[in-house]
Amino acid sequence: MRISAPNKLVGKVASIKESSGMTEVVIDIGDQPVTAVITAGAADALSLRPGDEVFAMFNATSVMLIKDTK
């Protein structure tokens, strides 16, 4: 499999929580977890289970940082 997106992380599904037609998937990538919220339909289509290896891909044109200056 080849993907053009450079922003990808490989990890294992740590947990899955379904709620209101959406599914929260926590992915263990090593240093810290990554959380993705996808539709329940997408989660079903992927047949996600804890322990499955997945790729988390990011497509963003900008990232904003905010620091509290108190």
Side-chain angles (χ1 to χ4, degrees), residues 10-58:
V10 180
K12 292 191 185 263
V13 175
S15 66
I16 301 169
K17 182 170 44 170
E18 298 177 14
S19 175
S20 303
M22 300 301 287
T23 301
E24 179 185 276
V25 182
V26 178
I27 305 159
D28 178 2
I29 61 164
D31 295 349
Q32 59 187 359
V34 170
T35 302
V37 178
I38 60 176
T39 65
D44 287 342
L46 290 169
S47 299
L48 292 175
R49 301 284 179 261
D52 285 350
E53 183 175 82
V54 295
F55 291 86
M57 293 179 26
F58 303 87

Side-chain angles (χ1 to χ4, degrees), residues 51-66:
D52 285 350
E53 183 175 82
V54 295
F55 291 86
M57 293 179 26
F58 303 87
N59 184 9
T61 56
S62 66
V63 175
M64 299 174 114
L65 299 178
I66 300 170

